Amino acid sequence: MGVGHTLAPPLPHFGVCMGTPTPNYGPPRRWAQQRLCCTARGDTIFAVSSGHGRCGVAVIRTSGPGSRGALRSLTGRPELPPPRVLALRRIRDPATAEPLDRGLVVWFPGPQSFTGEDCAELHVHGGPAVVSGVLRALGRLPGLRPAEPGEFTRRAFHRGKLDLTAAEGLGDLIHAETEAQRRQALRQMEGELGRLYQRWSETLTQALAHLEAYIDFSEDDNVEEEVLSQVDAAVRALEQELGAHLQDGRRGELLRGGVRAVIAGPPNVGKSSLLNLLCRRPAAIVSPVAGTTRDVVEVSLNVTGYPVVLSDTAGLRNATDPVEREGVSRARDRLQRADLVLAVLDATAVPAEPAGLGAAVGSLVPPAAPCILVLNKADLLGGDTGALRAACARGPPVPPATLLSCKTGDGIDRLLELLGQQLAQLCGDPLAGSPSLTQSRHSQHLGDCAAALARYGRHRARDLGLAAEQLRLARRHLGRITGHVGAEDVLDIIFRDFCVAVLHLLLQQPEVRVGACVRVAVHHEEHQPQDDEELDEGREEEDVLHVEAAVPLGHRLLGLQAELGHGVAALLHAPPCSAHPTPRQPLSMGPRRGGACSPGRVYIALFNISFCWAPSCLSGCLGLAGLSQRSFCLQEGYCSRLLTGRGAKRSRSPPPPPRCRCWGSALPRDPLPGLTPHARKSAPCGDGRGLRRVLGWGMDEGGRSWGGDGGGTPPHRCSCRCRELQHAGTDSPAGGGKDAAG
Amino acid sequence: FGGIGKGHLVREVDALDGLCGRVCDLAGVHYKVLNRCKGPAVWGLRAQVDRGLYRDNMRKEILNTPLLTVHEASVEDLLLTEPEPDHPGKCRVRGVVLGDGSTVHTGSVILTTGTFLRGMIHVGLEKHPAGRLGDQPSIGLAQTLERLGFAVGRLKTGTPPRLAKDTIDFSGLEERTADNPPVPFSFLSKAVWIKPEDQLSCYLTYTNPKAQQIVQDNLHLNNHVRETTKGPRYCPSLEAKVLRFPNREHQVWLEPEGLESNVIYPQGLSMTLPPELQEQVIKSIRGLEKAKMLQPGYGVQYDYLDPRQLTASLESRLVQRLFFAGQINGTTGYEEAAAQGVIAGINACLRVRGKPPFIVSRTEGYIGVLIDDLTTLGTNEPYRMFTSRVEFRMSLRPDNADARLTHRGFEEAGCVSQQRYEQAVKMKAALEDGIAALKSLQFSVSKWSQLIPEVRLSSKSTLVLHSAFDILQYPEANMEILARAIPEPLRKFAKWRELSERLKIEAAYEWCVVNQQEEIEEVRQDEALQLPEDLDYFAIDASLSTEVREKLSSNRPQTIGAVSRIPGITPAAIVNLLRFVKNKHRKAEKLKAFPQTDKYLPGKMYSEKAASQTQISAELSEEEPESTFVKTPV
């Protein structure tokens, strides 16, 4: 045994030690009770709790008083499933009753839920379309909003839930991780955007400061009225800029939801033929009779990689037939809401000069809507197309235009090219745009910010206090996007960026000493260790380590167990960041020693996370040590893949070089230059006797202690007692160290 | 008395049945609400007070307080004894030694030394020891405090020269008339003592380049300015203004000191030039060309104690049962002093009775912000209250101070009179009824437009129903208009003028208050995590850097919330400390009761029905506070 040892980095650390089950978890915290009794109201939050991106099953979780209603609305049934039992339900968008997916739903009435509030979970198929559909549907329900990063954990923490089911927090550890990546992604991909938000935030801060000065000092001192007009101007400018940005911000949404393109034009110019041509099937009825199309015909297309929802509409004319009149009114309605208009005209019936063409288009299309002019029936022109082509190429007032013959297919390439250009403009370059993951959060906060600024305008004349409050709110909303928050939000940052669960485990420990070597083991209440080896090992470890307490398993850990195998191990340690070497104090925790796990026994691992505390630097690495060795790359902000797979512990060979699969960059910021936390574990020691492990905390390779009786063992040593490392300790290794050295 | 931010403090002191608001209503000669056009949350109640009347009324109030014995003498030393084991501190105060050597034995002592601790008056290059012009400073006490190990700092402040009213030419000056009707400070006062039309006016004039020239040419004659002691940034001396903002005109307010008095207080003209130069400056100002200077302006430098040595109840950590309040803690002004005084007084009494301290949270009042800022962050310049220091300004308004504090004062501190309490209960119940009635009246926009054509409604949607409470938010709307349109049930609310004004304000702020509730909860949670008072930050086994330990040790934050406001404390340190506290807390949970500071949170206070009055009178305690207030020296 002992192949799976986790070895500590040669850094000061402390750890958690929990071996024996201790039934007493104390009464719920008093502040948690206070919180519970004074939170009748409150938002309901929702978020995807599983990983983002394509996956088999995605779990969407809601928490808050609105969960009950949300679950009812989405399942379309008045009765809820029995508490904490999975139920198969059809999930519908309550607004349209359109089925979104068939999935499993679970209802967790509070306080027996992860956060302590009413919670619901929807296990849906993991395709982005399904997930975003469900999220959109949830977002439209009153009182629901997307969760802030780490908010589930935070809520659970505040309700004193985490100490009962602390293990559950591991899920959020992973979650917090992706949030950090999100922020990293935000920083790296949207450096400019981040700077833009930062600038706005500064503008707001300054405006607020001026306004405050005016409120507090204008009566006594010389704070002139002009300060106010400056503030007004700054806020107005910002409001406009924000408005423009929000419009712009629909790009990501368009990319997700598809561009709504509408074919419009007078009757009998070949609109339906164009639709059929573009979707390459007879989707719409085509006849030579004017006014054939009455209703709106919709098809989904992929045009040069962009999703398009193309609608064919009734020809626009003053119809007498009531059915056709309804069709025309629907067409006009669609036109108003179109992201892109394909204006179709009869090439034989239009003037061949730019002004006339422009006027013809202008009469059809709402002003300012992006538009492509299609001059159909070009085959009827014969060879006489020169004038028209010249007019088409003129540019404004003529929109991008092309001659087309739906009959022969001539000109379709040019049309697709134009379409592609327009779509690229509308959707933006997905590589340059903002990541879809953050988009909804962004626009929500930006929208809130803009709303607050609008309210500023309303309150400005009557109540400066209220107006200033709106500026404060606006700044707060902006701050939530960029993560640049004031000192008062320090705890927010903690809950967002750091693993509260593991922290909380530590909080449980009465006697955690710096440098102490501790193990975290979680016992399922119903299971006892079964296998002798394990029992032995447990005893052995208890000899070595101060085994303090155990945490009973909450139901949610089972999911985690399935996900991660028998157990997980993690270690929190934070070496100083090379970019910001001095001021921030690292958070350090001890590693966990692996070892065989039986199904009845689950080991909690400590994640190997290192974060730099400098707010601008979030690079860090996360490694899962122990049974399953994993690392997460934060550097690029994308990849949360495992660096090394499970089972690495079984092999005596060093784990694969820790390279991230994202774009190949090595893990950032290693405290030992050239060695990642994983490489370090099996770093060759200096005595030339091959790969020996630099042991972390009083454990030799055979899993035996060498400092068990001493207690004050220095935290890092090599089992082979090589010289370089020995000097780090003051006393010589004792006990089992000899065995290993042999 | 009063002002922006300070008026809030006076209201809160009054809500706790402090005297200054009531006495001001009996002594003012010019009442004015500042910031009138900036919204009720930032209104600054202010009054020019007749010094003589204020003194007489205050003396009458104090001497007529039952069970209160008043001694007048200077305090030279403290009597100390062994500390109580279950509290931090190296000794306990049990009395004071007076100037004549006699002693007074007490349960607790509050020191409110103002500017007297080693006070030094500066005029030009001259300086002499004095706490106030004509009063001896307190030296012995300062030495005692220093000997006990209190960290002492030095601050300065100043006062302007006084002018003779009959020598000032007011004719060309801008007149500022008082409010009509005047708004009283106290919730108990229906009106102030003076007839509105009898109030005196203030006048505004400006300094000019000539005055600036005189100041600049004579800086070498000005010891007070040249020294590095920190002065107030917010109501600076003329010299400071000239140095910081040259080439500008600075306002000078000519304020009457009393109804019968011939003294004018030129606010904004605080200076420490030699008297003859002060006269030159005065004579250079428009309207004051012939003004006679009755008394020169002077600067005072004095000792203050680092307020971080105090707990939130204003008890010192070093000496048990010794409380500090006022300028000794590094604040400016009467209002800040009154706010600390009422808290120190309440707690001195509670301490003697062995009851938990009475602490006002940041989320409950300006008093809480003031004391939290002082005891957590300390100060290195005279601390003045502003509205912008307050996170929850929308909820902590002057109009609702009674709803925020009076109930707590009555139930927890026992400092509120029965009459005030009953009035607050009645008002709270009436507000709840009023809001409920207003919210129950719901009509469509078109119906509202018919009912009250004078209010222009902006909503476009005609389908949404609006309650009368929503309508009340419009600037043109008020209870009178609503009651005219819907006499039943609104008439009875509109008849009560004070109530209808408060309903209008509640309507205007409802949105903000509800929105702030979440933030308030967050702060409350952080504040609920209390740090043990006797924590030795250098000894605790938590991963904290020496720098952090030093900061924590010198600031002695009392809650995790306070820790997060200390500059330079890393999030990691907070986490580690949290861990420590939680362990400790778990052990101590059964032993220690939390002070309940969240019972009257603004925003939710009207959401729950008030306890019925009968119940309240049954709970009424007959006890009178018993504590010894020692004023040093008078």
Side-chain angles (χ1 to χ4, degrees):
Chain A
M1 269 328 298
V3 268
H5 292 169
T6 305
L7 305 160
L11 278 169
H13 60 269
F14 57 89
V16 199
C17 182
M18 300 199 290
T20 25
T22 323
N24 176 22
Y25 295 96
R29 300 282 175 276
R30 184 162 184 131
W31 59 83
Q33 288 173 331
Q34 284 180 352
R35 168 79 183 172
L36 275 178
C37 50
C38 58
T39 318
R41 55 174 287 284
D43 300 353
T44 301
I45 53 171
F46 64 89
V48 180
S49 301
S50 52
H52 291 277
R54 235 173 261 278
C55 52
V57 174
V59 178
I60 295 163
R61 188 156 62 175
T62 71
S63 173
S67 296
R68 179 186 295 265
L71 195 55
R72 280 186 181 144
S73 309
L74 260 70
T75 55
R77 297 191 188 191
E79 83 279 12
L80 295 165
R84 297 178 295 284
V85 174
L86 282 170
L88 182 65
R89 292 283 186 276
R90 190 176 289 281
I91 295 166
R92 293 170 190 277
D93 186 336
T96 59
E98 174 195 357
L100 296 167
D101 193 14
R102 254 162 81 87
L104 296 170
V105 299
V106 202
W107 163 239
F108 299 102
Q112 285 159 289
S113 70
F114 168 52
T115 57
E117 304 173 318
D118 285 352
C119 286
E121 276 182 19
L122 304 162
H123 299 233
V124 296
H125 293 103
V130 176
V131 173
S132 66
V134 175
L135 288 182
R136 256 205 306 274
L138 283 171
R140 278 200 294 261
L141 293 174
L144 269 75
R145 64 168 172 81
E148 295 292 323
E151 196 171 358
F152 281 98
T153 317
R154 192 187 165 97
R155 288 187 174 204
F157 182 80
H158 278 316
R159 279 163 185 74
K161 291 300 283 188
L162 273 179
D163 56 327
L164 294 175
T165 52
E168 295 169 356
L170 280 174
D172 285 270
L173 177 58
I174 296 163
H175 187 66
E177 194 43 34
T178 59
E179 292 297 348
Q181 286 172 342
R182 180 192 62 69
R183 287 181 52 184
Q184 183 77 356
L186 179 69
R187 283 230 169 69
Q188 294 199 339
M189 290 183 58
E190 308 179 284
E192 267 175 51
L193 206 52
R195 276 197 293 280
L196 179 70
Y197 294 157
Q198 190 58 34
R199 181 168 65 74
W200 288 348
S201 187
E202 279 160 17
T203 310
L204 271 178
T205 308
Q206 200 187 7
L208 186 60
H210 284 172
L211 198 59
E212 296 286 8
Y214 185 76
I215 289 174
D216 273 338
F217 303 117
S218 68
E219 302 256 354
D220 289 345
D221 305 304
N222 296 5
V223 178
E224 286 92 359
E225 295 274 340
E226 65 200 54
V227 165
L228 268 192
S229 49
Q230 282 169 12
V231 170
D232 284 347
V235 171
R236 247 197 320 275
L238 183 60
E239 204 181 341
Q240 278 165 8
E241 216 176 323
L242 204 61
H245 182 80
L246 273 174
Q247 298 273 309
D248 210 38
R250 246 177 65 73
R251 281 178 177 181
E253 242 175 85
L254 285 179
L255 197 56
R256 272 207 312 279
V259 176
R260 284 168 302 189
V262 173
I263 305 178
N268 212 15
V269 290
K271 297 184 294 298
S272 300
S273 308
L274 176 61
L275 179 86
N276 291 347
L277 182 68
L278 281 172
C279 69
R280 297 192 203 128
R281 64 187 168 91
I285 302 169
V286 179
S287 85
V289 181
T292 305
T293 307
R294 299 283 174 92
D295 210 343
V296 177
V297 180
E298 260 185 14
V299 293
S300 291
L301 291 179
N302 176 345
V303 180
T304 62
Y306 296 102
V308 176
V309 180
L310 190 62
S311 316
D312 179 27
T313 60
L316 300 173
R317 64 169 173 185
N318 291 326
T320 46
D321 176 52
V323 180
E324 195 185 347
R325 214 161 44 223
E326 177 58 30
V328 171
S329 109
R330 287 185 184 194
R332 293 198 192 282
D333 192 40
R334 281 298 166 111
L335 261 179
Q336 290 301 324
R337 288 187 288 139
D339 298 319
L340 175 64
V341 178
L342 292 174
V344 184
L345 294 174
D346 189 336
T348 58
V350 291
E353 37 85 28
L357 268 184
V361 174
S363 66
L364 279 178
V365 180
C371 172
I372 296 174
L373 174 59
V374 181
L375 296 172
N376 194 20
K377 306 190 184 177
D379 51 316
L380 297 182
L381 289 172
D384 184 21
T385 58
L388 260 182
R389 279 187 201 283
C392 288
R394 260 298 287 277
V398 184
T402 181
L403 283 171
L404 174 78
S405 165
C406 287
K407 204 166 179 182
T408 63
D410 277 354
I412 185 74
D413 293 342
R414 172 70 185 145
L415 175 61
L416 286 176
E417 188 190 326
L418 284 178
L419 254 178
Q421 284 169 9
Q422 288 284 332
L423 291 172
Q425 243 177 45
L426 279 173
C427 301
D429 183 348
L431 292 179
S434 41
S436 56
L437 191 144
T438 59
Q439 192 64 45
S440 61
R441 249 177 53 82
H442 277 206
S443 49
Q444 175 137 4
H445 285 309
L446 286 176
D448 288 349
C449 179
L453 291 181
R455 284 193 300 269
Y456 167 85
R458 277 216 300 283
H459 290 307
R460 163 67 181 77
R462 350 195 275 251
D463 190 329
L464 270 188
L466 279 172
E469 188 61 29
Q470 300 309 328
L471 288 192
R472 248 192 247 212
L473 270 179
R475 197 176 57 140
R476 204 171 141 89
H477 286 302
L478 264 187
R480 288 198 169 178
I481 302 176
T482 55
H484 289 275
V485 281
E488 74 273 16
D489 288 332
V490 165
L491 277 177
D492 274 352
I493 297 177
I494 292 170
F495 285 104
R496 181 171 53 220
D497 292 352
F498 299 93
C499 169
V500 179
V502 177
L503 283 178
H504 203 86
L505 291 180
L506 287 180
L507 297 182
Q508 299 298 304
Q509 296 306 304
E511 315 280 341
V512 176
R513 284 175 296 125
V514 174
C517 313
V518 217
R519 194 190 85 185
V520 185
V522 177
H523 297 263
H524 197 293
E525 283 163 322
E526 288 149 34
H527 288 83
Q528 291 301 319
Q530 286 154 3
D531 112 13
D532 288 346
E533 193 186 342
E534 184 199 304
L535 281 174
D536 285 341
E537 192 190 80
R539 269 205 296 280
E540 181 183 285
E541 291 196 335
E542 283 174 20
D543 284 343
V544 177
L545 311 164
H546 295 283
V547 179
E548 297 285 352
V551 176
L553 265 187
H555 51 270
R556 288 189 44 81
L557 190 67
L558 299 174
L560 245 156
Q561 202 181 349
E563 188 185 324
L564 297 176
H566 326 282
V568 286
L571 137 80
L572 257 174
H573 91 86
C577 170
S578 55
H580 302 87
T582 40
R584 306 288 175 152
Q585 196 201 358
L587 179 71
S588 43
M589 296 191 201
R592 181 250 162 198
R593 181 185 175 284
C597 291
S598 70
R601 193 171 186 188
V602 178
Y603 291 87
I604 291 225
L606 300 170
F607 281 80
N608 183 358
I609 298 181
S610 39
F611 277 116
C612 172
W613 285 94
S616 59
C617 173
L618 255 186
S619 59
C621 55
L622 184 144
L624 195 56
L627 285 178
S628 15
Q629 299 196 339
R630 301 175 174 207
S631 287
F632 294 86
C633 164
L634 272 177
Q635 178 73 349
E636 301 299 340
Y638 280 118
C639 173
S640 59
R641 304 246 177 90
L642 306 182
L643 296 190
T644 59
R646 260 209 292 141
K649 64 119 185 168
R650 299 277 169 209
S651 125
R652 276 186 182 273
S653 62
R659 274 200 310 173
C660 174
R661 284 187 204 158
C662 55
W663 287 314
S665 65
L667 284 170
R669 264 194 328 99
D670 192 82
L672 292 182
L675 288 179
T676 69
H678 301 288
R680 195 190 311 124
K681 271 195 304 218
S682 30
C685 69
D687 68 353
R689 280 185 287 172
L691 275 180
R692 291 286 176 190
R693 293 171 181 229
V694 181
L695 289 184
W697 28 278
M699 200 76 58
D700 68 18
E701 250 189 302
R704 286 182 207 109
S705 114
W706 39 261
D709 47 353
T713 331
H716 50 83
R717 271 187 208 172
C718 178
S719 62
C720 71
R721 296 193 275 168
C722 55
R723 265 160 292 148
E724 303 91 43
L725 288 161
Q726 255 187 357
H727 75 263
T730 48
D731 51 337
S732 65
K738 288 171 204 140
D739 303 344
Chain B
F1 226 102
I4 299 162
K6 294 169 172 245
H8 291 69
L9 285 176
V10 179
R11 272 278 164 117
E12 289 179 5
V13 168
D14 183 68
L16 291 170
D17 227 348
L19 282 180
C20 62
R22 259 188 290 152
V23 176
C24 281
D25 290 341
L26 296 174
V29 294
H30 173 110
Y31 294 88
K32 180 120 194 137
V33 177
L34 304 181
N35 269 354
R36 186 55 109 164
C37 56
K38 295 174 197 162
V42 294
W43 281 351
L45 276 65
R46 186 156 87 168
Q48 311 297 335
V49 174
D50 184 306
R51 280 176 191 267
L53 280 173
Y54 186 86
R55 187 187 54 220
D56 296 344
N57 281 303
M58 186 56 98
R59 187 175 281 165
K60 203 157 66 188
E61 277 281 357
I62 288 179
L63 294 180
N64 288 335
T65 302
L67 299 178
L68 181 70
T69 313
V70 180
H71 287 281
E72 188 170 335
S74 81
V75 168
E76 291 299 325
D77 204 352
L78 300 171
L79 291 174
L80 300 170
T81 182
E82 288 299 303
E84 291 162 287
D86 51 340
H87 288 275
K90 60 181 185 186
C91 52
R92 174 166 67 88
V93 71
R94 62 183 177 87
V96 293
V97 181
L98 301 182
D100 59 4
S102 63
T103 57
V104 178
H105 289 268
T106 64
S108 12
V109 172
I110 309 169
L111 289 184
T112 60
T113 57
T115 59
F116 281 75
L117 272 192
R118 268 197 280 252
M120 184 71 80
I121 282 186
H122 290 249
V123 185
L125 292 177
E126 280 175 39
K127 57 179 179 180
H128 52 271
R132 195 163 49 202
L133 208 58
D135 287 321
Q136 283 305 303
S138 181
I139 310 268
L141 195 58
Q143 284 166 347
T144 304
L145 292 174
E146 207 161 32
R147 205 172 55 236
L148 281 168
F150 284 101
V152 178
R154 200 121 173 105
L155 290 174
K156 67 179 178 185
T157 185
T159 187
R162 304 298 201 276
L163 309 175
K165 191 181 194 174
D166 48 15
T167 58
I168 297 174
D169 174 16
F170 290 106
S171 58
L173 304 182
E174 204 177 300
E175 182 178 359
R176 169 92 55 113
T177 53
D179 284 345
N180 188 1
V183 179
F185 280 105
S186 174
F187 288 99
L188 291 184
S189 310
K190 290 268 174 283
V192 300
W193 72 288
I194 197 168
K195 279 191 219 143
E197 58 276 16
D198 289 350
Q199 296 183 84
L200 303 178
S201 291
C202 294
Y203 293 87
L204 178 61
T205 180
Y206 293 92
T207 64
N208 51 35
K210 202 174 156 201
Q212 179 179 331
Q213 196 60 43
I214 299 169
V215 171
Q216 279 175 341
D217 290 348
N218 295 292
L219 283 178
H220 60 286
L221 296 176
N222 209 330
N223 251 341
H224 193 64
V225 175
R226 284 190 304 180
E227 282 180 17
T228 50
T229 313
K230 290 281 173 73
R233 237 189 322 175
Y234 307 108
C235 28
S237 64
L238 181 66
E239 291 94 333
K241 284 191 278 197
V242 163
L243 290 175
R244 274 178 56 209
F245 307 104
N247 305 322
R248 274 177 59 167
E249 291 192 333
H250 299 283
Q251 291 179 340
V252 178
W253 286 100
L254 302 176
E255 300 170 345
E257 279 211 351
L259 211 51
E260 310 290 325
S261 163
N262 190 34
V263 181
I264 289 288
Y265 181 100
Q267 195 216 323
L269 216 54
S270 168
M271 55 185 160
T272 54
L273 285 166
E276 57 282 9
L277 289 169
Q278 290 193 19
E279 275 192 305
Q280 282 185 32
V281 171
I282 290 165
K283 295 210 155 50
S284 74
I285 293 172
R286 195 154 63 89
L288 307 182
E289 292 87 353
K290 294 187 182 126
K292 182 167 168 252
M293 187 171 79
L294 298 173
Q295 170 195 315
Y298 60 89
V300 191
Q301 299 190 1
Y302 56 95
D303 280 0
Y304 78 107
L305 305 183
D306 186 342
R308 288 176 295 185
Q309 302 167 96
L310 305 179
T311 68
S313 65
L314 296 178
E315 181 178 355
S316 78
R317 286 201 177 81
L318 278 174
V319 181
Q320 296 173 354
R321 301 189 175 206
L322 179 61
F323 294 76
F324 298 113
Q327 277 166 311
I328 193 173
N329 289 337
T331 58
T332 64
Y334 304 123
E335 304 80 3
E336 287 87 353
Q340 294 169 61
V342 74
I343 294 298
I346 288 169
N347 282 306
C349 176
L350 291 174
R351 184 76 166 77
V352 170
R353 291 192 189 169
K355 290 190 176 167
F358 179 81
I359 290 163
V360 178
S361 138
R362 286 185 88 85
T363 60
E364 280 177 313
Y366 278 49
I367 294 181
V369 174
L370 168 78
I371 292 177
D372 184 63
D373 278 354
L374 286 175
T375 57
T376 307
L377 305 177
T379 183
N380 50 19
E381 62 181 1
Y383 181 102
R384 180 183 151 184
M385 197 68 223
F386 307 118
T387 68
S388 46
R389 292 193 195 269
V390 181
E391 293 91 341
F392 307 110
R393 192 165 61 188
M394 299 295 102
S395 320
L396 312 183
R397 303 185 306 266
D399 62 273
N400 66 5
D402 59 340
R404 288 183 272 127
L405 295 171
T406 300
H407 297 71
R408 278 197 64 202
F410 183 78
E411 284 163 16
E412 294 170 40
C415 63
V416 172
S417 71
Q418 181 69 17
Q419 179 206 358
R420 180 183 294 272
Y421 180 65
E422 276 168 9
Q423 183 179 321
V425 168
K426 195 173 148 206
M427 175 55 87
K428 185 174 165 177
L431 271 171
E432 281 168 358
D433 284 353
I435 291 173
L438 286 167
K439 283 190 170 168
S440 67
L441 292 170
Q442 298 199 338
F443 300 111
S444 67
V445 169
S446 50
K447 174 89 188 201
W448 276 120
S449 307
Q450 280 173 17
L451 281 170
I452 37 170
E454 51 271 71
V455 178
R456 286 228 318 276
L457 302 176
S458 61
S459 174
K460 288 178 190 95
S461 163
T462 48
L463 295 173
V464 184
L465 291 180
H466 288 265
S467 74
F469 200 55
D470 299 332
I471 301 297
L472 200 53
Q473 294 176 19
Y474 286 89
E476 311 90 30
N478 57 41
M479 285 301 288
E480 206 181 314
I481 292 178
L482 283 173
R484 221 181 297 143
I486 316 165
E488 242 0 274
L490 297 185
R491 194 167 26 180
K492 64 172 189 276
F493 301 112
K495 267 197 288 189
W496 187 353
R497 185 184 54 84
E498 203 186 354
L499 177 68
S500 53
E501 277 168 12
R502 285 181 71 161
L503 280 172
K504 165 95 183 141
I505 296 174
E506 288 293 335
Y509 285 94
E510 194 209 15
W511 187 87
C512 264
V513 168
V514 168
N515 264 275
Q516 264 186 353
Q517 207 54 37
E518 199 177 322
E519 271 182 73
I520 290 181
E521 293 291 342
E522 282 172 23
V523 172
R524 295 220 50 76
Q525 281 163 16
D526 292 346
E527 286 188 351
L529 296 172
Q530 295 214 326
L531 296 173
E533 295 226 331
D534 51 348
L535 205 55
D536 179 355
Y537 288 100
F538 290 101
I540 61 170
D541 192 5
S543 180
L544 299 171
S545 72
T546 320
E547 188 196 345
V548 167
R549 284 172 196 265
E550 272 166 12
K551 280 212 167 92
L552 289 171
S553 195
S554 65
N555 286 32
R556 311 246 28 132
Q558 289 175 30
T559 64
I560 286 288
V563 174
S564 67
R565 286 189 286 274
I566 300 175
I569 298 284
T570 59
I574 297 174
V575 169
N576 287 330
L577 207 57
L578 247 178
R579 176 173 69 82
F580 184 84
V581 178
K582 291 206 149 188
N583 290 333
K584 188 127 179 161
H585 175 81
R586 195 165 57 160
K587 289 177 192 162
E589 183 149 69
K590 284 170 197 159
L591 302 173
K592 194 175 169 187
F594 270 78
Q596 301 207 329
T597 52
D598 65 336
K599 272 161 93 180
Y600 301 107
L601 276 184
K604 75 169 199 162
M605 53 198 170
Y606 302 126
S607 58
E608 296 152 14
K609 271 279 178 192
S612 72
Q613 285 191 37
T614 49
Q615 200 182 339
I616 285 146
S617 13
E619 287 167 6
L620 176 72
S621 120
E622 296 295 325
E623 282 174 287
E624 278 293 330
E626 176 201 354
S627 175
T628 310
F629 292 79
V630 179
K631 191 168 190 310
T632 54
V634 181

